[in-house]
């Protein structure tokens, strides 16, 4: 095998290596200087509290958003003028590959799972998720996988076969470097965590709802999270197996995906998209749930057509398992295959359309407040509709032969995923920030963030529809003047800078609000409707002093109107809580080390370190810690602090 | 349980049906002149019915607290198996591979 341990010979990479090294040393020195190691270890690294795990997911997601965003800016810079040589073809390949993987798996997923972690137990009136320690393991395996994937560009080289890693290109024959091993191993490790999260949330939502909360009385975000979890459990094992087969092909000379010994490269595409298409809905469904909550709250109305909303989500989830072939119509399927998958794909537009109209009708005759969270939801509807309509265009197999692998497709999925996921995450962050941290984000800086980002987004991706229709295929690292694309792509590059300015405004907003925002926001700053607002901000570790009883959808709203949102002193009992555990983080680190050696195909070392994983499992089996109790007196004290009267 | 009568009608019916299905399979394999693939298809179909009878009448899958959940789980598993296995075979063996 040929590889250099450190990627060498490029000044940009050398600078990054030095930069990363200095940042690490600086960070370690700073934490040591502030004597924060014990605090971090006790309060964060070993925590099993769903709220803290959620916050760590969100922090990791923001960092990954920055990394993926920088990748995007570099691509836009490279294609801004014809014939530029800022990046060579190899670098461009690596950058669009990592951009895709980082944005989907290490940005969108943790952001959404993070918000789910913080909110689901609160929305259903529970004190934690069903398996708190497993939840921590999910986080650490994701986090370690993200780190492993990110070191690839300084150690060993990044994967360069696209985020889809199609065979035969991604096979050993055409990609002998270890870059694609990073793809197989890092995704595998993070997939384990995601699968565990899916199981955890299904059990939590089915088994731990507050008394009286029937399935059809759950908040919409809880519903979408439940359906997403079911989809995770359905789809992620397919990725696990596909990646395993890829690993066997690349490291052990198997031939699942190589034509050489009777394998079939199309099998990889087939399995990848059997997971990949549901994955799109795994990230977009919780986002739909967030918009539903935000739009209902800021329209001062209950959600229009709650039951049709639920039916639509389930229908979308069901259909999402039946459309995967639309990603490779051009492989030359029979007419029957392409027709069936065209029809199922177009059918998805129906439940999605129902949802769009439900949101519009929720707003109709409502008293709309243009808070930041609501602005993101309002911008989502038209932008996402453009993405949806172009999706129906792509769904037609015959027409797709023209659009396939052009910039038109790239523009389409950015118009779906950015409004569908990124806008939702921003809406969710502005909306739930007070609940998570006890202060609101600044609305004025938030407006800058909103307008810069939304305008920048449209400037960046709208021109890509037109160059796509004009024949520009995706993943081209440069083009000639004579194509006539230069004005469109130049325009698009400027747009990406505006979008980056929007992100900078968000970062400034986080900083400003952390330093100066009022800490006196109360438990319910938006006059909201669902149970998470019935408890303190930031939420106490035990969530609810008394588990609420539910008789209606929007229970908290009803309680507020009828004045029944008070708890009684006598109802407060000792509260049982799970203890912190070091097993998840140690196991995560062990996964990381094993993964690292596997990437470099050092099998003996990775076998030695995988003993660490097994040891953690054994240690966990002998862990008889049943948790601890918070005495009622202490609960009462904490509750008095924010309720005042009790 | 609701229908706790003296005569175990369900069990007897299940027993008779499962015997009938088994004998039917044997009869088709040894006493008919169908081609091998037709035989396989018929006994495969009989086997599915056999499994259903066993699950419902003897293993009481629909009864008890988690009866409904069991049914949902099995339906979910069958749906996924059909989509992933049958779907993949259909997609990969028509079109380019068949040409």
């Amino acid at each position: 095998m040929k590889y250099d341990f450190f990627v060498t010979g490029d000044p940009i990479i050398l600078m990054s290596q030095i930069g990363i090294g200095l940042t690490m040393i600086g960070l370690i020195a700073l934490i040591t200087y502030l004597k924060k190691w014990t605090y971090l270890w006790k309060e964060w690294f070993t925590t099993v509290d769903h709220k803290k795990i959620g916050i760590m997911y969100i922090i990791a997601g923001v960092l990954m958003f920055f990394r993926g965003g920088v990748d995007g800016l570099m691509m836009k810079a490279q294609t801004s003028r014809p014939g530029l040589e800022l990046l060579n073809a190899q670098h461009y390949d690596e950058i669009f590959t990592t951009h895709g993987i980082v944005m989907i798996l290490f940005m969108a997923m943790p952001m959404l799972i993070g918000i789910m972690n913080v909110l689901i137990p609160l929305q259903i009136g529970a004190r934690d998720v069903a398996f708190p320690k497993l939840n921590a393991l999910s986080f650490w395996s994701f986090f370690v996988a993200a780190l492993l994937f990110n070191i690839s560009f300084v150690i060993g080289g990044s994967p360069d076969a696209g985020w889809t890693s199609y065979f035969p290109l991604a096979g050993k024959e055409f990609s002998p470097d270890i870059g694609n091993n990073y793809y197989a191993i890092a995704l595998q490790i993070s997939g384990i965590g995601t699968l565990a999260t899916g199981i955890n949330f299904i059990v939590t939502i089915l088994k731990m709802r507050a008394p009286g909360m029937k399935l059809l009385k759950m908040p919409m975000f809880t519903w979408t999270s439940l359906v997403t979890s079911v989809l995770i459990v359905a789809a992620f094992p397919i990725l696990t197996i596909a990646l395993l087969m890829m690993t066997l092909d690349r490291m052990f000379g198997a031939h699942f995906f190589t034509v050489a010994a009777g394998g079939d490269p199309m099998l990889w595409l087939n399995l990848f998209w059997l997971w990949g298409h549901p994955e799109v809905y795994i990230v977009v469904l919780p986002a739909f749930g967030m918009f539903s909550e935000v739009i209902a709250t800021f329209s001062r109305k209950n959600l229009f057509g709650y039951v049709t909303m639920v039916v639509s989500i389930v229908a979308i989830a069901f259909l999402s398992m039946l459309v995967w072939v639309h990603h490779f119509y051009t492989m030359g399927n029979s007419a029957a295959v392409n027709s069936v998958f065209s029809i199922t794909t177009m059918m998805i537009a129906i439940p999605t359309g129902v949802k769009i109209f439900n949101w519009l009708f929720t707003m109709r005759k409502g008293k709309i407040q243009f808070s930041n969270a609501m602005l993101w939801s309002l911008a989502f509807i038209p932008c996402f509709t453009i993405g949806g309509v172009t999706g129906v265009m792509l769904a037609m197999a015959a027409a797709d032969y023209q659009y396939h692998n052009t910039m038109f497709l790239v523009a389409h999925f950015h118009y779906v995923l950015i409004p569908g996921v990124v806008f939702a995450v921003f809406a969710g962050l502005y909306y739930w920030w007070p609940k998570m941290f006890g202060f609101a984000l600044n609305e004025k800086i938030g407006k800058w963030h909103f307008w810069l980002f939304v305008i920048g987004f449209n400037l960046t991706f709208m021109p890509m529809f037109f160059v796509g229709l004009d024949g520009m295929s995706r993943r081209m690292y440069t083009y000639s003047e004579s194509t006539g694309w230069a004005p469109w792509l130049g325009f698009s590059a400027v747009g990406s800078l505006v979008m980056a300015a929007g992100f900078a405004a968000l970062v400034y907003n986080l900083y400003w609000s952390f330093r100066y925002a009022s800490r006196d926001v109360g438990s319910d700053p938006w006059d909201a409707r669902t149970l998470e607002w019935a408890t303190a901000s930031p939420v106490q570790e035990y969530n609810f002093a008394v588990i609420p009883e539910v008789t209606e959808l929007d229970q908290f709203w009803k309680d507020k109107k009828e004045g029944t949102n008070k708890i009684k002193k006598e109802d407060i009992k000792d509260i049982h809580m799970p203890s912190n555990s070091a097993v998840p983080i140690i196991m995560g680190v062990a996964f990381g080390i094993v993964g690292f050696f596997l990437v470099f195909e050092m099998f003996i070392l990775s076998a030695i370190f995988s003993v660490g994983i097994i040891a953690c499992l054994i240690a966990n089996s002998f862990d008889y810690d049943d948790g601890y109790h918070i005495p009622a007196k202490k609960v009462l004290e904490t509750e008095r602090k924010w309720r005042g009267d009790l | 349980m609701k229908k706790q009568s003296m005569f175990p009608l369900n069990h007897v019916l299940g027993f008779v049906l499962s015997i009938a299905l088994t004998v039917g399979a044997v009869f088709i394999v040894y006493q008919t002149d169908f081609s091998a693939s037709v035989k396989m298809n018929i006994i495969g179909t009989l086997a599915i019915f056999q499994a259903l009878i066993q699950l419902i009448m003897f293993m009481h899958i629909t009864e008890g607290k988690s009866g409904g959940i069991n049914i949902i789980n099995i339906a979910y598993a069958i749906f996924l198996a059909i989509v992933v296995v049958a779907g993949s075979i259909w997609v990969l063996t028509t079109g380019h591979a068949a040409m």
Side-chain angles (χ1 to χ4, degrees):
Chain A
M1 185 179 19
K2 73 174 189 65
Y3 62 82
D4 299 317
F5 189 74
F6 286 106
V7 179
T8 48
D10 190 295
I12 304 176
I13 304 244
L14 186 70
M15 265 161 60
S16 322
Q17 282 165 336
I18 295 169
I20 290 172
L22 289 180
T23 313
M24 295 289 282
I25 295 167
L27 212 58
I28 291 170
L30 185 72
I31 296 171
T32 315
Y33 176 73
L34 296 172
K35 298 196 174 68
K36 289 286 183 194
W37 282 113
T38 336
Y39 163 79
L40 279 178
W41 180 260
K42 280 196 176 151
E43 298 290 321
W44 295 92
F45 293 169
T46 59
T47 189
V48 292
D49 183 335
H50 68 95
K51 303 176 285 290
K52 286 182 176 168
I53 292 173
I55 288 169
M56 290 194 288
Y57 265 120
I58 292 168
I59 293 171
V62 172
L63 291 177
M64 289 295 127
F65 193 26
F66 176 75
R67 200 255 139 125
V70 171
D71 283 348
L73 286 175
M74 285 161 85
M75 286 191 279
K76 282 284 130 196
Q78 166 62 25
T79 55
S80 61
R81 302 288 312 140
L84 270 190
E85 286 291 342
L86 287 173
L87 303 167
N88 59 31
Q90 175 62 22
H91 273 148
Y92 193 78
D93 291 354
E94 290 180 11
I95 284 168
F96 69 65
T97 304
T98 52
H99 171 76
I101 298 163
V102 165
M103 284 302 200
I104 289 280
L105 287 149
F106 299 131
M107 188 283 283
M109 291 294 283
M111 286 282 207
L112 294 166
I113 290 178
I115 296 175
M116 274 162 69
N117 255 295
V118 175
L119 282 155
I120 296 301
L122 294 173
Q123 283 203 327
I124 62 175
R127 292 210 166 108
D128 208 322
V129 293
F131 310 112
K133 211 192 271 181
L134 183 67
N135 199 23
L137 178 65
S138 290
F139 170 74
W140 287 110
S141 68
F142 145 73
F143 189 69
V144 161
L147 289 185
L148 183 65
F149 189 80
N150 274 283
I151 59 164
S152 69
F153 88 107
V154 287
I155 299 179
S158 289
D160 55 0
W163 87 280
T164 49
S165 271
Y166 280 175
F167 278 79
L169 176 61
K172 201 88 184 175
E173 191 184 350
F174 298 102
S175 297
D177 296 347
I178 57 142
N180 279 47
N181 291 355
Y182 272 111
Y183 179 97
I185 303 297
L187 263 58
Q188 189 70 282
I189 295 173
S190 116
I192 295 170
T194 310
L195 187 55
T197 300
I199 295 167
N200 213 338
F201 278 95
I202 292 176
V203 180
T204 306
I205 295 172
L206 289 182
K207 291 286 185 190
M208 294 174 69
R209 298 192 305 278
M213 188 183 272
K214 303 253 170 52
L215 281 176
L216 283 178
K217 292 198 168 90
M218 297 195 306
M220 191 46 64
F221 180 60
T222 306
W223 250 114
T224 53
S225 300
L226 173 64
V227 176
T228 280
S229 305
V230 173
L231 267 183
I232 287 176
V233 173
F236 266 77
I238 305 173
L239 178 71
T240 305
I241 293 303
L243 288 173
L244 178 68
M245 289 156 99
M246 177 193 243
T247 311
L248 291 174
D249 264 20
R250 287 190 54 87
M251 297 184 191
F252 301 101
H255 291 281
F256 291 107
F257 305 127
T258 52
V259 185
D264 186 353
M266 293 315 290
L267 179 61
W268 166 262
L269 271 78
N270 183 68
L271 292 176
F272 181 86
W273 287 114
L274 259 168
W275 160 79
H277 198 86
E279 165 67 14
V280 177
Y281 290 90
I282 289 167
V283 293
V284 91
L285 283 179
F288 285 170
M290 290 184 213
F291 286 128
S292 302
E293 304 285 357
V294 169
I295 288 174
T297 298
F298 292 109
S299 303
R300 302 260 150 277
K301 283 174 69 190
N302 57 343
L303 192 64
F304 183 89
Y306 175 84
V307 178
T308 55
M309 218 53 154
V310 173
V311 173
S312 308
I313 309 162
V314 176
I316 291 175
F318 176 75
L319 285 172
S320 78
M321 293 299 298
L322 300 173
V323 298
W324 74 96
V325 176
H326 70 217
H327 296 272
F328 50 95
Y329 286 137
T330 50
M331 88 181 233
N333 272 311
S334 65
V337 171
N338 277 1
S339 313
V340 164
F341 284 93
S342 278
I343 291 166
T344 51
T345 306
M346 284 187 249
M347 275 164 71
I348 285 199
I350 298 168
T352 316
V354 168
K355 293 176 75 71
I356 297 273
F357 281 108
N358 277 340
W359 288 315
L360 293 177
F361 280 121
T362 307
M363 284 187 264
R364 182 171 177 266
K365 291 195 175 172
K367 288 193 203 117
I368 297 178
Q369 288 176 320
F370 292 96
S371 70
N372 271 325
M374 188 63 178
L375 282 179
W376 287 108
S377 313
L378 291 173
F380 153 76
I381 292 177
C383 294
F384 185 79
T385 306
I386 295 174
V389 170
T390 49
V392 178
M393 292 166 72
L394 287 158
M396 292 177 279
D400 183 67
Y401 275 70
Q402 292 300 316
Y403 306 130
H404 185 81
N405 263 358
T406 62
M407 286 306 236
F408 185 85
L409 165 84
V410 177
H412 153 72
F413 69 69
H414 282 89
Y415 259 92
V416 175
L417 284 171
I418 293 181
V421 180
V422 179
F423 286 16
V425 167
F426 288 150
L429 285 183
Y430 279 99
Y431 182 55
W432 282 301
W433 197 267
K435 191 50 48 187
M436 290 191 266
F437 298 100
F439 60 89
L441 290 173
N442 184 295
E443 286 281 310
K444 211 170 184 179
I445 309 171
K447 295 276 187 305
W448 278 98
H449 170 210
F450 171 77
W451 286 109
L452 286 171
F453 198 91
V454 172
I455 292 172
F457 158 70
N458 281 291
L459 290 180
T460 309
F461 294 104
M462 191 57 86
M464 286 159 73
F465 282 122
F466 298 104
V467 285
L469 290 177
D470 206 16
M472 181 177 181
S473 69
R474 70 195 291 201
R475 295 167 175 167
M476 283 175 71
Y477 91 105
T478 192
Y479 55 94
S480 74
E481 181 84 60
S482 60
T483 53
W485 300 331
W488 292 114
L489 292 169
F491 200 65
S492 170
V494 174
S496 70
L497 289 176
V498 179
M499 214 165 142
F503 183 73
L506 169 69
V507 174
Y508 178 65
N509 198 354
L510 300 184
Y511 166 76
W512 191 93
S513 306
F514 182 72
R515 285 289 298 269
Y516 306 114
S518 159
R519 258 53 178 174
D520 185 27
V521 286
S523 62
D524 179 25
W526 314 116
D527 196 12
R529 319 181 70 85
T530 39
L531 279 179
E532 73 267 29
W533 303 100
T535 185
S537 305
V539 184
Q540 328 82 309
E541 58 172 333
Y542 50 81
N543 291 0
F544 296 95
V546 177
I547 297 290
E549 296 228 359
V550 178
T551 52
E552 301 222 353
L553 180 71
D554 293 347
Q555 178 69 23
F556 178 57
W557 182 259
K558 172 175 173 270
D559 287 344
K560 273 194 293 192
K561 296 300 140 198
E562 296 174 359
T564 50
N565 55 339
K566 305 268 186 295
I567 57 170
K568 289 197 204 80
K569 212 161 108 181
E570 308 83 75
D571 290 342
I572 297 180
K573 305 252 159 54
D574 290 359
I575 293 175
H576 181 225
M577 297 294 293
S579 306
N580 285 359
S581 168
V583 171
I585 182 170
I586 296 173
M587 201 159 153
V589 172
F591 265 119
I593 298 171
V594 171
F596 183 81
F597 287 127
L598 269 183
V599 166
F600 285 92
E601 304 185 10
M602 301 173 183
F603 300 118
I604 296 171
L605 277 171
S606 69
I608 292 169
F609 278 96
S610 56
V611 173
I613 299 173
I614 297 162
C616 284
L617 288 172
I618 294 170
N620 193 48
S621 306
F622 288 98
D623 182 5
Y624 297 108
D625 189 344
D626 284 336
Y628 62 100
H629 284 84
I630 305 175
K633 226 176 79 191
K634 210 171 154 216
V635 175
L636 189 63
E637 243 169 63
T638 320
E639 290 296 303
R640 274 200 179 124
K641 246 183 247 162
W642 70 276
R643 288 180 192 265
D645 56 331
L646 194 70
Chain B
M1 249 186 281
K2 274 182 288 182
K3 37 181 185 178
Q4 187 88 47
S5 65
M6 291 298 285
F7 185 70
L9 180 69
N10 256 339
H11 288 92
V12 173
L13 195 67
F15 184 65
V16 172
L17 276 174
S18 58
I19 296 279
L21 287 170
T22 312
V23 173
V26 173
F27 174 79
I28 283 159
V29 172
Y30 286 108
Q31 303 291 324
T32 59
D33 295 329
F34 294 125
S35 69
S37 71
V38 173
K39 280 180 183 171
M40 287 303 282
N41 278 321
I42 294 175
I43 63 171
T45 315
L46 292 181
I48 289 170
F49 281 106
Q50 180 77 272
L52 281 177
I53 286 166
Q54 298 290 331
L55 285 171
I56 294 167
M57 292 177 165
F58 298 112
M59 296 168 83
H60 305 284
I61 191 162
T62 52
E63 292 166 21
K65 254 204 314 209
S66 51
I69 295 174
N70 277 337
I71 297 284
I72 292 173
N73 280 345
I74 289 176
Y76 179 72
I78 291 174
F79 169 71
L80 280 184
I82 290 175
V83 169
V84 177
V85 179
S88 297
I89 291 172
W90 184 45
V91 169
L92 291 176
T93 53
T94 56
H96 85 294
M99 278 187 268

